[in-house]
């Protein structure tokens, strides 16, 4: 904190305006975070995603039967929370992707967000049956979040299945803590966040860069409980 005040004071002296100094300091902190930590969201990612969506739409308009472009577009639409549009695309792809775990996971996730709980759960479980490690087990947490209000026992079952897959991922324990937090299981949430930090400390140096954002988030979440 002292270093930040010193930098702010130096910037204020250089530019002669405290508001401009704050703005420059925030920009510096943002770029440092993006380079070394990754807690702050990327401003470029949504722009790149929109460009990719536009390109895929053009490809599909020129080649309506290009199924791979439709699946890629559906995934990006899910990221943008445009579930109805993604759902319509995914329904067209069942035949060519009937053996794809990624397809059934995308369809099930979309259905859950649209309120089709039964079919959404069934299709995500179908994806996990094809490949239990599809998206590194994330579908289990998708199901846990979907049922955390209506069926807490089921939500906890899916959390435990997720735990069976992940034992050395700081991100995994952060997500686990988030689910426990939403279920108001504070002690379990704290334990999950602590485990996230412990996993991070045990990682080799090259791996810590990938997991650092989740360790930082776990630290803040733990302190907030």
């Amino acid at each position: 904190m002292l270093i930040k005040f010193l930098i702010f004071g130096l910037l204020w002296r250089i530019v002669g305006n405290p508001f401009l100094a704050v703005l420059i300091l925030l920009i510096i902190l943002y770029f440092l975070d993006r380079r070394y930590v990754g807690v702050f969201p990327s401003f470029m990612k949504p722009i790149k995603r929109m460009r990719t969506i536009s390109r895929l739409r053009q490809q599909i308009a020129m080649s309506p039967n290009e199924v791979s472009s439709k699946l890629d577009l559906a995934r990006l639409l899910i990221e943008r929370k445009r579930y109805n549009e993604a759902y319509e695309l995914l329904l067209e792809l069942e035949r060519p992707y009937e053996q794809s775990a990624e397809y059934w996971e995308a369809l099930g996730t979309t259905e859950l967000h649209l309120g089709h709980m039964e079919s959404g759960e069934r299709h995500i479980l179908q994806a996990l049956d094809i490949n239990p490690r599809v998206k590194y087990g994330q579908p289990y947490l998708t199901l846990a979040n979907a049922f955390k209000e209506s069926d807490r026992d089921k939500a906890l079952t899916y959390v435990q299945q997720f735990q069976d897959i992940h034992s050395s991922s700081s991100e995994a324990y952060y997500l686990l803590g988030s689910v426990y937090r939403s279920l108001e299981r504070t002690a379990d949430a704290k334990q999950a966040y602590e485990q996230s930090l412990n996993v991070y400390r045990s990682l080799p140096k090259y791996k810590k860069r990938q997991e650092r954002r989740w360790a930082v988030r776990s630290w803040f979440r733990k302190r907030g409980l």
Side-chain angles (χ1 to χ4, degrees), residues 86-95 103 107 111:
Y87 182 63
E88 294 300 323
L89 276 172
L90 290 167
L91 289 179
E92 300 175 17
L93 303 176
E94 179 175 349
R95 186 178 295 275
Y103 167 76
L107 179 62
E111 289 173 324

Side-chain angles (χ1 to χ4, degrees), residues 29-198:
L29 290 174
Y30 173 79
F31 280 105
L32 287 174
D33 172 83
R34 294 304 305 167
R35 176 65 179 85
Y36 296 106
V37 183
V39 173
F40 296 153
S42 170
F43 290 130
M44 293 303 299
K45 185 176 180 180
I47 297 173
K48 291 179 180 178
R49 183 169 55 205
M50 287 300 299
R51 289 176 178 171
T52 305
I53 287 175
S54 178
R55 176 176 55 80
L56 289 171
R57 290 190 193 279
Q58 292 176 0
Q59 290 179 1
I60 293 169
M62 295 174 61
S63 303
N65 296 321
E66 192 173 343
V67 295
S68 61
S69 294
K70 288 184 178 180
L71 183 58
D72 290 340
L73 177 58
R75 287 170 175 158
L76 292 174
L77 291 172
I78 291 171
E79 289 182 15
R80 290 203 64 208
K81 305 185 188 303
R82 299 178 63 171
Y83 301 115
N84 281 301
E85 190 174 354
Y87 182 63
E88 294 300 323
L89 276 172
L90 290 167
L91 289 179
E92 300 175 17
L93 303 176
E94 179 175 349
R95 186 178 295 275
Y97 284 106
E98 61 183 351
Q99 297 302 319
S100 168
E102 289 77 11
Y103 167 76
W104 292 112
E105 185 276 332
L107 179 62
T109 298
T110 304
E111 289 173 324
L112 289 175
H113 283 290
L114 291 174
H116 309 321
M117 306 303 289
E118 184 177 345
S119 59
E121 181 183 21
R122 183 175 70 252
H123 288 146
I124 286 183
L125 291 176
Q126 185 173 343
L128 291 165
D129 185 58
I130 295 172
N131 178 9
R133 292 185 175 273
V134 61
K135 294 188 71 173
Y136 305 101
Q138 176 67 37
Y140 286 117
L141 289 183
T142 299
L143 289 168
N145 275 305
F147 289 101
K148 65 187 179 184
E149 300 295 339
S150 60
D151 192 334
R152 292 194 170 190
D153 289 337
K154 180 180 285 190
L156 289 173
T157 297
Y158 287 131
V159 167
Q160 290 161 4
Q161 289 177 294
F162 176 76
Q163 281 183 294
D164 291 340
I165 292 177
H166 283 286
S167 60
S168 60
S169 168
S170 186
E171 178 185 5
Y173 282 104
Y174 169 80
L175 295 172
L176 181 61
S178 298
V179 173
Y180 277 134
R181 184 167 171 260
S182 68
L183 293 172
E184 299 179 356
R185 292 182 54 164
T186 303
D188 289 325
K190 282 185 177 180
Q191 184 177 357
Y193 292 136
E194 180 61 33
Q195 188 62 31
S196 173
L197 295 170
N198 291 336

Side-chain angles (χ1 to χ4, degrees), residues 184-221:
E184 299 179 356
R185 292 182 54 164
T186 303
D188 289 325
K190 282 185 177 180
Q191 184 177 357
Y193 292 136
E194 180 61 33
Q195 188 62 31
S196 173
L197 295 170
N198 291 336
V199 167
Y200 174 76
R201 296 185 190 104
S202 69
L203 292 174
K205 189 174 182 179
Y206 76 92
K207 188 72 173 175
K208 284 186 175 181
R209 171 65 183 88
Q210 302 173 17
E211 297 282 311
R212 189 170 294 131
R213 73 182 67 180
W214 306 110
V216 172
R217 291 177 181 180
S218 294
W219 186 82
F220 279 111
R221 282 288 179 89

